[in-house]
DNA sequence: AAAATAATAACGAACGTCCGTTTTTTTTTA
DNA sequence: TAAAAAAAAACGGACGTTCGTTATTATTTT
C-alpha cells in the first residue's frame, strides 16, 4: 500500500530525460548539445554525466520510454465496439484524441530514422512485439466482415493510415491546410474503411 | 558562386550537391560536416565555399532540386487509364516503380521536418503549387465514380497513402517485415481504393 | 545516539577534436 | 595574362567527454 521512495537520483534522471525530450523534439539529436540539456535540467554538464554515460544513452532512454507505442497500444487495446467498423472507427477517433495532446510523438520516430537510420528500432520492436499480437484479436473481435488481409499487414496499414494523416498535415503549409476543410480526419477514416471509390 | 558559371563550375557544383545528398540521406544534416561533403566531392573545404555560401545553402539547393515532387508530379501527370480506378492503380504502381529507384526520397522531407522544423517548406510549396492543381483534373478524368471528396483532400490522401506504405516499411525492422508477405503494396493499394471493410 | 564510513550527487574546469567559415596562396582555364 | 577554380592554412568557437573534487545522504560501527 505504500509507494517506494523515489530517490533523488531518479528524480534528477527523469528531469534530464524531460529536458532532453523537449530539446530533441525541437532541434533534433545532433542539433541539441549536452550543455543545453544540462542547463534545461538545472544541472551542470558534469552532473548529467553522473546519470547517463553518454548522449546516445539519453536518446535511447527517451526513445524507449516515450515512443508512440506506449500511447498507441493501450488505446487500441481498450477500444470497444460491436462491429468491426465501429471498432476501427472508435479506435481511430480515440487515437486522435490521445495523439492530439502529444502531437509530436511521431517526431520521435522521425528523429530515430533520420539521425540514427533506425538503428535502435529492432531493440524497440523486440520489446513491444509481445504487445502487438493481442491487437489482432481486438480488431477481429467485432461483428462484420473484414477483407482477407494478413493480420500483421492489417495492423501495419492501420498505423500507416494514422501516419499518413499526421505526416501530410505536418508537410502541408498552413496556407494549403486551410483549403482542406475542417473534418479532414473523418474523410481519412472513411477512406481507410471504404476506400476512395464510390 | 556569385560569378558567372562556366561549364566546369557547374559540374563541380552538381558534384557537391550529389555528395551532400548522399551524406545528408545517411547521416542527416547536422550529422554531416562540410569536410565530408568536400572530400566526397573530391574537393577541399575552401573549394566548396567557392560554390556555396554556406552549409544551409547546400541543403536548400538539394531540397529544392531533389524533393519528391519532382519525381511524383510528372509520374502522376503522365498516368493513363480509362476508369478512375485503373487510373489510380496505375498511378500508384508507376509511382512505386519510380520511388523504388530512389526509395530514400521521402527521407528529404523527414530531414527537413526533423532538423529544420519545416522552415523551408512554405517556399517549396509556393514553387510547386501551380503544378498541383492540374492533378485534380487527371484524377477525375477517368470514367467511374469517386467518393465526394474535396479535390485537395483527395490529393493529400493519395500522397498520404504512399507515405504510409514507405514509412511503415522504414519503421518495421527486417524481422517483422518478412512476416508480412511479398505483395504488401498491392494490399495497400486495395485498401486505399476499397477500404479494409469487405 | 554519536561517530565513522561509505555511497551518491553535483560541481567546475579542462581535454582534444571537430565544427562552419574566412583568408591567403597556388593552379588551371580561357 | 587576367579571371575563375581549387588548394592550403588558419580562425574562433562549440562539441562530447573526462577529470579531480566537494557537498550531501545513507549506512555501518561504536
Amino acid at each position: 500500500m505504500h509507494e517506494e521512495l523515489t530517490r533523488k537520483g531518479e528524480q534528477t534522471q527523469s528531469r534530464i530525460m524531460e529536458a532532453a525530450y523537449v530539446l530533441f523534439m525541437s532541434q533534433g539529436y545532433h542539433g541539441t548539445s549536452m550543455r543545453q540539456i544540462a542547463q534545461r535540467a538545472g544541472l551542470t554538464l558534469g552532473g548529467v554525466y553522473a546519470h547517463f554515460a553518454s548522449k546516445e544513452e539519453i536518446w535511447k532512454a527517451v526513445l524507449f520510454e516515450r515512443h508512440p507505442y506506449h500511447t498507441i497500444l493501450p488505446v487500441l487495446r481498450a477500444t470497444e465496439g460491436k462491429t468491426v467498423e465501429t471498432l476501427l472507427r472508435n479506435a481511430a477517433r480515440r487515437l486522435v484524441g490521445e495523439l492530439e495532446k502529444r502531437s509530436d510523438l511521431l517526431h520521435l520516430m522521425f528523429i530515430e530514422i533520420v539521425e540514427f537510420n533506425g538503428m535502435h528500432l529492432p531493440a524497440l520492436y523486440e520489446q513491444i512485439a509481445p504487445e502487438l499480437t493481442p491487437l489482432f484479436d481486438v480488431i477481429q473481435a467485432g461483428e462484420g466482415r473484414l477483407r482477407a488481409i494478413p493480420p500483421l499487414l492489417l495492423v501495419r496499414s492501420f498505423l500507416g493510415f494514422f501516419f499518413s494523416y499526421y505526416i501530410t498535415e505536418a508537410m502541408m503549409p498552413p496556407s494549403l491546410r486551410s483549403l482542406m476543410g475542417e473534418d479532414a480526419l473523418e474523410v481519412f477514416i472513411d477512406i481507410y474503411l471504404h476506400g476512395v471509390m464510390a
Side-chain angles (χ1 to χ4, degrees), chain A:
Chain A
M1 216 43 115
H2 69 88
E3 295 180 40
E4 287 250 336
L5 279 181
T6 54
R7 310 176 102 183
K8 186 167 185 214
E10 291 175 6
Q11 288 177 313
T12 306
Q13 196 159 319
S14 72
R15 237 172 53 235
I16 294 173
M17 285 174 61
E18 173 64 27
Y21 174 76
V22 172
L23 290 167
F24 287 155
M25 283 300 140
S26 62
Q27 305 176 341
Y29 176 82
H30 287 106
T32 298
S33 74
M34 289 294 273
R35 283 166 182 80
Q36 288 177 316
I37 294 173
Q39 190 183 28
R40 186 171 247 270
L43 285 180
T44 52
L45 192 52
V48 175
Y49 277 92
H51 295 271
F52 291 93
S54 69
K55 188 184 177 185
E56 188 172 351
E57 286 300 318
I58 298 180
W59 168 252
K60 272 155 63 178
V62 168
L63 178 67
F64 275 68
E65 190 177 87
R66 310 218 176 187
H67 70 86
Y69 286 95
H70 278 132
T71 300
I72 291 174
L73 287 178
V75 170
L76 289 185
R77 236 184 279 112
T79 300
E80 293 175 356
K82 201 175 180 189
T83 67
V84 177
E85 167 146 3
T86 56
L87 219 151
L88 282 174
R89 218 177 267 276
N90 287 344
R93 294 207 182 102
R94 289 195 56 186
L95 254 191
V96 170
E98 284 304 312
L99 289 181
E100 250 167 20
K101 301 177 200 157
R102 314 281 308 266
S103 67
D104 51 352
L105 277 178
L106 282 183
H107 225 81
L108 261 186
M109 287 298 174
F110 287 9
I111 297 175
E112 170 65 23
I113 291 173
V114 165
E115 308 201 57
F116 292 95
N117 260 309
M119 61 174 283
H120 304 113
L121 289 185
L124 197 58
Y125 276 85
E126 202 145 323
Q127 184 180 296
I128 67 167
E131 308 188 62
L132 213 58
T133 326
L135 286 184
F136 308 150
D137 310 327
V138 172
I139 290 180
Q140 289 176 326
E143 299 171 8
R145 278 166 301 145
L146 211 56
R147 274 170 171 281
I149 301 170
L152 206 55
L153 208 44
L154 184 65
V155 173
R156 172 178 164 184
S157 76
F158 185 76
L159 297 179
F161 142 69
F162 259 96
F163 298 160
S164 75
Y165 176 73
Y166 280 106
I167 287 159
T168 52
E169 181 160 275
M171 292 176 69
M172 301 276 166
S175 57
L176 273 183
R177 221 175 295 165
S178 60
L179 290 175
M180 301 219 176
E182 288 301 311
D183 53 354
L185 174 73
E186 286 299 320
V187 176
F188 264 66
I189 293 179
D190 281 338
I191 291 177
Y192 180 68
L193 289 175
H194 299 291
V196 292
M197 301 304 299

